[in-house]
Amino acid sequence: MKQKKFLLPESEIPQAWFNIQAVMPNKPMPILNPATREALKPEDLYPIFCEECSRQELNVTDEWIPIPEPVREAYASYRCTPLVRAYDLEKALGTPAHIYFKNESVSPAGSHKLNSALAQAYYAKQEGITNITTETGAGQWGGALSYAAKKFGLECAVYMVKISYNQKPYRRSIMNTFGATITPSPSMSTRAGKDIITANPNDNGSLGCAISEAIELAVTTSNCKYTLGSVLNHVCLHQTVIGLEAEKQMELAGEYPDTVIACFGGGSNFSGIAFPFMRHNIKDGKKTRFIAAEPASCPKLTRGKFEYDFGDEAGMTPLLPMYTLGHTFKPASIHAGGLRYHGAGVILSQLMKDGFMEAVDIEQTESFKAGVLFAQTEGIIPAPESCHAIAATVREALKCKETGQKKVILFNLSGHGFVDMGAYDQYFGGSLQDFHISDEELAKFIKSADDLNK
Amino acid sequence: MKQKKFLLPESEIPQAWFNIQAVMPNKPMPILNPATREALKPEDLYPIFCEECSRQELNVTDEWIPIPEPVREAYASYRCTPLVRAYDLEKALGTPAHIYFKNESVSPAGSHKLNSALAQAYYAKQEGITNITTETGAGQWGGALSYAAKKFGLECAVYMVKISYNQKPYRRSIMNTFGATITPSPSMSTRAGKDIITANPNDNGSLGCAISEAIELAVTTSNCKYTLGSVLNHVCLHQTVIGLEAEKQMELAGEYPDTVIACFGGGSNFSGIAFPFMRHNIKDGKKTRFIAAEPASCPKLTRGKFEYDFGDEAGMTPLLPMYTLGHTFKPASIHAGGLRYHGAGVILSQLMKDGFMEAVDIEQTESFKAGVLFAQTEGIIPAPESCHAIAATVREALKCKETGQKKVILFNLSGHGFVDMGAYDQYFGGSLQDFHISDEELAKFIKSADDLNK
């Protein structure tokens, strides 16, 4: 019997996260205070984030950051996650490529998001915080944080992007079951939300807007901290458990990836699977390709601009040096809610700029076509976000079919689609749309970032 | 770090299923032809089922039945499933009991059902069948069979109980994604369905009725066989991979269960976790208790009668010796659709009669209360069916708290509840009902079985 899954016991859960900032040839440019344009120090972030997360955010020296034992214990409820050889997908594509995927969908919340949620909730509890708040797009991060908060005994308030709140009622129910309070965003409960509703009463919401609301709640509530599910350096750090495990598992499989692929919203699951392998490109001369699969309707890496921008719509965050579509960007209503974000994480943007990674854009219908093929061959119904990684994988595997190259492709299955079946219904019903944004339209949004860089 | 999960590599997937019929002190009474009242032979079942399944159904001699290698290979996409120690649930209950659960929710279809679906689809393919059909209640069996059919290259038609079809649209979408055709039952596509609709145009459907429709389709279509997801001996046989793995995993944990618990619809997941341990009660003098958790609104084991009855509503099946509420029983509209069945499997009924197992009945609200506690402690949102097993586990664990006994309890987490979040919404909204059925009402239904035994 050919081995299908490569498993590790929970004793192999990594002891430390890999901090790629320590080995980057060009360190990320500083995060700036928008008023003074001075580089931020960790203590400048304390009003918003936990202190430990703030320090991790700006730590460019320690290559390895120990994972606290209670976080490892919490990881043990689902980690190490399986690495799986997609034999049936390979066969269906007729490709000589070897396709592997890391299955992060087995986590309680159904996605990789729990890897950082547990860490952030743990640090909050340690620092005497009682309440945490956040935004969520598709609801995967919100679900993960809700469970993590319950696990460590914290109250949790989630601002959920309004379109997802309406499209994905089951995600709401999941957060509710884990004991969180959920508010659709934009809401009337914050000044940021009220401003957006005033400007456009029918606003569908965006991650950028929900972030503004959650930050406002955190800074105006005592004993309450904000948490973020992607983009930030410490979130990408926490996700590296994915790739660190995958590295050992690829060894068990006797292979090393030529290509590593993940979908890309703010960059968290991409960082998780990519960074541990990328360190061997940086340090050991390996030549692995890293491909970020972003939605064609939210093309920050393929069509965005590298410059300073806000991380949120209302401009409450520090200025981040990143590939951005402008913080006023209004992403189309694709089902992959977790990819509807205007910017790429700071570390990722620098790596992109320096040529360590590349990006492709995927139309919504192409992503679901690939997702259905994956479901019918490998049996797992993927989240709409993960469908983008699968589509990029299919493209690469078909190239191998043409050239006859037996490449080893590894992609991250960031989550399952059990709560996104409405999107699959639309796909089969033929009503799923692709969204095109013209250069002119895009330029208008990017101007909101340009204006900050004058 | 305390070990949380006990894993086995896929090389440890059992090589053979355990056939409890071979070791039962009293063999099950024969299955009868309703017209002649003669005991059925395997060949009498060939028009309905695959030949190999028909032989397995009536095999009372072979203790071990080899698992074909392609089925083991298909199992490898999710097996061996984890055995998990529920430390956080124990802590929340303040019980000295050690609680373990076997996590069958990690299968592609989200439940244990795939264990038999893959076997049945494989045998069908081997025997040159092109189409398979079945019924489904909550949709777990239908989802599993849809994927299994796709896996082995068969067409699949599913009759889905109408109330579940309407309550659980995501389950439909899952079957659709795996390429199956789904019809709500009762339907106008069969004579059985038309008769039921004629008698009651608003009939919500039942497993018994959907079975009638699927059997009718199978016997009136060439090259088409019927498959069943529970009740039958060969289905219970296929599920024993659950308990066989759990036995090895409990050994890894250094414990042996005092109590084994599973929810009970027709008996498939119960058989799966229980039979391998029960063989040590039968053969080696072990004293493990086996508790079937059935819904109070469908109490076949606690309030039903042991006698011959039809397996379906329209009376198309052979006569089965079983605990039954009468084949005309109309189960209340509980969310645990998989438990809405009037009878218990033949083997299970004999074991119940002979005192090898016991049963408890659980109200719907009690089941969800336990399910929410489990979700908030262990992080997995359980299927409404599995909530019954959890509720029975909570009862036993609280008894241990009273007595101070440090019992080892093992339950089967048959599936996850990601596609049942609407039920959780109702629970939190306070609109979830319990259903009471009086002795008088019950007697009327049981009379439909009594009449067959005169």
Side-chain angles (χ1 to χ4, degrees):
Chain A
M1 198 164 95
K2 294 179 297 189
Q3 192 171 350
K4 172 104 185 132
K5 299 188 306 304
F6 300 87
L7 303 177
L8 295 171
E10 57 200 53
S11 55
E12 294 278 351
I13 294 170
Q15 308 271 349
W17 294 299
F18 168 63
N19 179 19
I20 198 167
Q21 295 193 86
V23 302
M24 287 168 70
N26 298 317
K27 304 289 180 205
M29 288 159 60
I31 299 173
L32 302 181
N33 178 319
T36 64
R37 301 276 159 152
E38 279 176 14
L40 290 190
K41 292 185 286 292
E43 46 272 35
D44 297 323
L45 296 171
Y46 292 175
I48 302 178
F49 300 107
C50 293
E51 299 187 3
E52 177 57 24
C53 292
S54 302
R55 286 188 292 269
Q56 290 175 359
E57 186 66 19
L58 300 177
N59 184 334
V60 295
T61 49
D62 300 317
E63 188 174 337
W64 298 99
I65 295 181
I67 304 177
E69 206 53 21
V71 175
R72 289 187 74 231
E73 271 177 35
Y75 280 167
S77 72
Y78 62 104
R79 307 210 72 86
C80 302
T81 64
L83 179 82
V84 187
R85 173 83 182 268
Y87 288 113
D88 287 351
L89 177 62
E90 290 171 16
K91 199 174 154 195
L93 293 170
T95 179
H98 291 190
I99 303 175
Y100 292 84
F101 63 93
K102 180 73 169 161
N103 187 359
E104 290 293 305
S105 79
V106 300
S107 102
S111 83
H112 70 290
K113 292 290 188 187
L114 202 50
N115 300 330
S116 186
L118 287 167
Q120 294 191 54
Y122 167 76
Y123 288 128
K125 185 71 182 179
Q126 283 298 100
E127 295 175 19
I129 302 306
T130 55
N131 291 54
I132 53 180
T133 180
T134 197
E135 80 298 329
T136 195
Q140 289 184 331
W141 168 246
L145 192 73
S146 301
Y147 168 62
K150 178 60 75 178
K151 174 90 188 170
F152 289 109
L154 300 163
E155 293 297 316
C156 179
V158 180
Y159 288 93
M160 184 172 190
V161 176
K162 195 177 272 173
I163 184 165
S164 295
Y165 186 90
N166 293 324
Q167 268 181 352
K168 300 174 194 282
Y170 279 19
R171 293 272 187 203
R172 262 191 277 157
S173 313
I174 290 170
M175 292 185 264
N176 194 35
T177 300
F178 288 140
T181 307
I182 310 110
T183 308
S185 166
S187 78
M188 301 295 277
S189 70
T190 64
R191 189 192 164 110
K194 278 184 254 190
D195 286 350
I196 289 165
I197 290 173
T198 304
N200 176 12
N202 299 319
D203 195 288
N204 267 330
S206 67
L207 278 172
C209 161
I211 292 171
S212 302
E213 295 208 84
I215 293 180
E216 185 177 327
L217 180 71
V219 298
T220 58
T221 310
S222 64
N223 239 344
C224 177
K225 293 292 173 187
Y226 170 68
T227 68
L228 190 71
S230 190
V231 181
L232 295 175
N233 301 344
H234 65 276
V235 182
C236 297
L237 172 76
H238 301 155
Q239 293 296 347
T240 57
V241 288
I242 302 172
L244 292 168
E245 288 176 9
E247 197 187 340
K248 290 185 194 170
Q249 290 166 311
M250 290 298 302
E251 252 180 70
L252 292 178
E255 307 218 67
Y256 192 88
D258 298 303
T259 310
V260 173
I261 297 172
C263 65
F264 197 100
S268 80
N269 97 90
F270 179 89
S271 304
I273 190 91
F275 287 177
F277 292 100
M278 203 181 278
R279 86 180 192 276
H280 298 302
N281 278 28
I282 296 174
K283 297 172 72 172
D284 313 321
K286 290 272 189 192
K287 303 280 181 208
T288 300
R289 284 174 65 208
F290 299 92
I291 303 176
E294 63 179 10
S297 59
C298 193
K300 72 215 83 171
L301 292 172
T302 49
R303 296 170 67 196
K305 191 166 167 185
F306 184 88
E307 61 186 341
Y308 275 99
D309 197 6
F310 287 116
D312 68 324
E313 188 162 351
M316 298 186 68
T317 69
L319 288 172
L320 306 167
M322 60 182 183
Y323 280 92
T324 181
L325 298 168
H327 60 279
T328 59
F329 183 72
K330 300 278 178 212
S333 305
I334 56 170
H335 285 278
L339 308 185
R340 296 175 73 248
Y341 184 69
H342 67 277
V346 167
I347 293 176
L348 293 141
S349 295
Q350 188 65 46
L351 291 167
M352 180 81 186
K353 191 157 170 279
D354 291 343
F356 285 102
M357 54 183 275
E358 50 197 291
V360 293
D361 59 345
I362 307 279
E363 296 285 1
Q364 180 161 245
T365 49
E366 182 185 352
S367 75
F368 276 93
K369 187 181 172 199
V372 168
L373 178 65
F374 182 75
Q376 295 194 347
T377 50
E378 296 298 321
I380 304 169
I381 298 177
E385 291 82 2
S386 313
C387 287
H388 290 74
I390 298 168
T393 300
V394 167
R395 284 190 193 174
E396 291 299 314
L398 291 177
K399 275 184 217 161
C400 289
K401 187 179 179 177
E402 275 175 32
T403 61
Q405 282 181 295
K406 212 169 169 173
K407 286 197 181 165
V408 177
I409 304 172
L410 166 64
F411 77 87
N412 196 31
L413 183 73
S414 56
H416 65 65
F418 281 126
V419 260
D420 302 288
M421 295 311 303
Y424 281 88
D425 285 346
Q426 280 190 17
Y427 172 75
F428 285 113
S431 63
L432 203 70
Q433 273 184 281
D434 288 331
F435 296 92
H436 296 281
I437 183 161
S438 66
D439 289 341
E440 293 69 35
E441 220 177 333
L442 212 48
K444 279 186 223 162
F445 292 120
I446 293 177
K447 189 174 177 301
S448 68
D450 290 344
D451 289 346
L452 300 168
N453 289 270
K454 278 175 185 162
Chain B
M1 199 164 95
K2 293 179 297 187
Q3 192 171 351
K4 171 105 186 130
K5 297 188 307 305
F6 299 87
L7 303 177
L8 294 171
E10 59 199 52
S11 55
E12 294 278 351
I13 292 171
Q15 308 270 351
W17 293 298
F18 168 63
N19 179 19
I20 198 168
Q21 295 193 86
V23 302
M24 285 167 71
N26 297 318
K27 304 289 179 203
M29 287 159 60
I31 298 173
L32 302 181
N33 178 319
T36 64
R37 302 276 159 153
E38 278 175 17
L40 290 190
K41 292 186 287 291
E43 47 271 34
D44 297 323
L45 296 171
Y46 291 176
I48 302 179
F49 300 106
C50 292
E51 298 187 4
E52 178 57 25
C53 292
S54 301
R55 287 189 291 270
Q56 290 175 358
E57 185 66 19
L58 300 176
N59 184 333
V60 295
T61 49
D62 300 317
E63 188 173 338
W64 298 98
I65 295 180
I67 304 177
E69 207 52 21
V71 175
R72 289 187 73 230
E73 269 177 37
Y75 280 167
S77 73
Y78 63 104
R79 306 210 71 86
C80 302
T81 63
L83 178 82
V84 187
R85 174 83 182 268
Y87 289 112
D88 287 350
L89 177 62
E90 291 170 16
K91 198 174 154 196
L93 294 170
T95 180
H98 291 191
I99 303 175
Y100 292 85
F101 63 93
K102 179 74 168 161
N103 187 0
E104 290 293 305
S105 79
V106 299
S107 101
S111 82
H112 70 290
K113 293 291 188 187
L114 202 50
N115 300 329
S116 186
L118 288 168
Q120 294 190 54
Y122 167 76
Y123 288 128
K125 186 70 181 180
Q126 283 298 101
E127 294 175 19
I129 303 304
T130 56
N131 291 54
I132 52 179
T133 180
T134 198
E135 82 297 330
T136 196
Q140 288 184 330
W141 169 246
L145 193 73
S146 302
Y147 168 63
K150 180 59 75 177
K151 175 90 188 170
F152 288 109
L154 300 163
E155 293 297 315
C156 179
V158 179
Y159 288 93
M160 184 172 189
V161 177
K162 194 176 273 174
I163 185 164
S164 294
Y165 186 90
N166 294 324
Q167 268 181 352
K168 299 173 194 283
Y170 278 19
R171 293 273 187 204
R172 265 191 275 155
S173 314
I174 289 171
M175 292 185 264
N176 194 36
T177 301
F178 288 140
T181 307
I182 308 110
T183 309
S185 167
S187 79
M188 302 296 276
S189 71
T190 64
R191 190 191 165 110
K194 278 183 251 187
D195 286 351
I196 289 165
I197 290 173
T198 304
N200 176 14
N202 299 318
D203 196 289
N204 265 332
S206 68
L207 278 173
C209 161
I211 292 171
S212 302
E213 295 208 83
I215 293 181
E216 185 177 327
L217 181 71
V219 298
T220 57
T221 310
S222 63
N223 240 345
C224 178
K225 293 292 173 187
Y226 170 67
T227 68
L228 190 70
S230 188
V231 181
L232 294 176
N233 301 344
H234 66 276
V235 182
C236 296
L237 172 76
H238 301 154
Q239 293 296 347
T240 57
V241 289
I242 302 171
L244 291 168
E245 287 176 10
E247 198 186 338
K248 288 185 195 169
Q249 290 165 312
M250 289 299 300
E251 251 179 69
L252 293 177
E255 307 218 66
Y256 191 88
D258 297 304
T259 310
V260 173
I261 296 172
C263 65
F264 198 100
S268 80
N269 97 88
F270 180 89
S271 304
I273 189 91
F275 288 176
F277 292 101
M278 203 182 278
R279 85 180 193 276
H280 298 301
N281 277 27
I282 296 174
K283 297 172 72 172
D284 312 320
K286 290 272 189 193
K287 303 280 184 207
T288 300
R289 284 174 66 206
F290 299 93
I291 302 176
E294 63 180 10
S297 59
C298 193
K300 72 216 83 173
L301 292 173
T302 50
R303 295 171 68 196
K305 191 165 166 185
F306 183 88
E307 61 186 341
Y308 275 99
D309 197 5
F310 287 116
D312 69 323
E313 188 161 349
M316 298 186 68
T317 69
L319 288 172
L320 307 167
M322 61 181 182
Y323 279 92
T324 181
L325 298 167
H327 60 279
T328 59
F329 183 71
K330 300 278 180 214
S333 305
I334 57 170
H335 285 278
L339 308 185
R340 297 175 73 249
Y341 184 67
H342 67 279
V346 167
I347 293 175
L348 294 141
S349 294
Q350 188 65 45
L351 292 167
M352 181 78 186
K353 192 157 170 278
D354 291 343
F356 285 102
M357 55 182 275
E358 50 196 291
V360 292
D361 58 347
I362 308 278
E363 296 285 1
Q364 181 161 245
T365 48
E366 182 186 351
S367 74
F368 276 92
K369 187 181 170 198
V372 168
L373 178 65
F374 182 75
Q376 295 194 347
T377 49
E378 296 298 322
I380 304 169
I381 297 177
E385 291 81 4
S386 313
C387 288
H388 290 75
I390 298 168
T393 300
V394 168
R395 284 190 193 174
E396 291 299 313
L398 290 178
K399 276 185 215 161
C400 289
K401 188 179 178 178
E402 275 176 32
T403 62
Q405 283 181 295
K406 214 168 168 173
K407 285 194 180 166
V408 177
I409 303 172
L410 166 65
F411 77 88
N412 195 32
L413 183 73
S414 55
H416 65 65
F418 281 126
V419 259
D420 302 288
M421 295 311 304
Y424 282 88
D425 285 345
Q426 281 191 15
Y427 172 74
F428 285 113
S431 62
L432 203 70
Q433 273 184 281
D434 287 331
F435 296 93
H436 296 282
I437 183 161
S438 67
D439 288 341
E440 293 69 37
E441 221 177 331
L442 212 50
K444 279 186 222 163
F445 291 122
I446 293 179
K447 188 172 176 303
S448 67
D450 290 344
D451 290 346
L452 300 169
N453 288 271
K454 278 174 185 163

